[in-house]
Amino acid sequence: MKSILTLFLILTIGLSTYAQNQNSKISIMKAENPILIINDTIIGSIDLLKKISPDKVLNLNVFKERKLGSSCLFIENEKNAGIIVANINHEFKFKSQKELNVFFGLNEKNDIYVNGYLIENKNQNISSESIIGIELIKADNFRLKKPVLNIEVE
């Protein structure tokens, strides 16, 4: 009888502590493809290379172990598929970090993450064709001091 009561008590305490956490969603990014950086100013998905003709690609460098940023928002997603840096003579549609922050009602200088990695260069833009999801992450005073956007690219 004591073991049943103990088991019931442990389950009740365990479930009640989980029930009080309103932000119990775990964010795991699915970054399997490398991230493309075009002309050092535009961040996008590798699929952008398929949409342009090969003669417009001037230079292409693949960095298998390089990460987009030094700070990662999701600890469980610190592995990545690398970075491709390209010089391309083509016009791409993009959104600046300032535009995205203002659109979501944030301070225009707030940090923006791409696939969980902090964009350290505030002059870099994000290809609007590559965006598949945008998540507004609220400040929790533990990991983040102010709200940020996490842009998911393919």
Side-chain angles (χ1 to χ4, degrees), residues 138-154:
K138 297 179 183 176
D140 56 7
N141 291 327
F142 172 68
R143 178 175 56 165
L144 299 169
K145 302 295 181 201
K146 51 187 173 182
V148 297
L149 293 175
N150 182 42
I151 313 290
E152 186 178 348
V153 298
E154 291 185 292

Side-chain angles (χ1 to χ4, degrees), residues 27 41 70 79 83 99 103 110 129:
S27 297
T41 58
S70 59
K79 60 181 183 207
I83 300 284
E99 288 176 316
F103 181 79
N110 275 17
E129 299 173 45

Side-chain angles (χ1 to χ4, degrees), residues 119-137:
I119 301 176
E120 295 163 350
N121 183 355
K122 296 293 183 189
N123 295 324
Q124 285 183 320
N125 304 306
I126 295 118
S127 166
S128 49
E129 299 173 45
S130 299
I131 297 174
I132 59 171
I134 299 175
E135 180 181 9
L136 175 62
I137 301 174

Side-chain angles (χ1 to χ4, degrees), residues 11-147:
L11 285 173
T12 305
I13 291 172
L15 292 175
S16 66
T17 55
Y18 180 75
Q20 293 181 15
N21 186 1
Q22 295 175 353
N23 297 324
S24 61
K25 183 179 103 173
I26 296 175
S27 297
I28 298 176
M29 304 300 297
K30 297 169 259 174
E32 297 172 359
N33 293 329
I35 294 176
L36 178 66
I37 300 177
I38 303 165
N39 301 334
D40 293 325
T41 58
I42 301 173
I43 298 172
S45 68
I46 193 71
D47 293 334
L48 291 175
L49 288 177
K50 297 175 187 174
K51 296 179 182 178
I52 60 170
S53 64
D55 60 328
K56 293 189 177 191
V57 178
L58 305 175
N59 189 7
L60 194 67
N61 294 316
V62 178
F63 299 99
K64 188 175 181 181
E65 298 296 322
R66 189 170 154 192
K67 297 179 180 180
L68 184 61
S70 59
S71 175
C72 186
L73 192 59
F74 309 114
I75 295 172
E76 64 272 2
N77 189 43
E78 286 213 21
K79 60 181 183 207
N80 70 337
I83 300 284
I84 296 177
V85 179
N87 289 328
I88 299 173
N89 189 14
H90 183 75
E91 292 293 322
F92 292 95
K93 296 177 186 175
F94 60 85
K95 295 289 182 187
S96 69
Q97 294 180 48
K98 178 181 173 182
E99 288 176 316
L100 289 166
N101 278 326
V102 169
F103 181 79
F104 284 95
L106 301 175
N107 183 345
E108 63 186 41
K109 294 183 181 180
N110 275 17
D111 290 335
I112 290 190
Y113 290 78
V114 171
N115 288 356
Y117 287 96
L118 175 66
I119 301 176
E120 295 163 350
N121 183 355
K122 296 293 183 189
N123 295 324
Q124 285 183 320
N125 304 306
I126 295 118
S127 166
S128 49
E129 299 173 45
S130 299
I131 297 174
I132 59 171
I134 299 175
E135 180 181 9
L136 175 62
I137 301 174
K138 297 179 183 176
D140 56 7
N141 291 327
F142 172 68
R143 178 175 56 165
L144 299 169
K145 302 295 181 201
K146 51 187 173 182

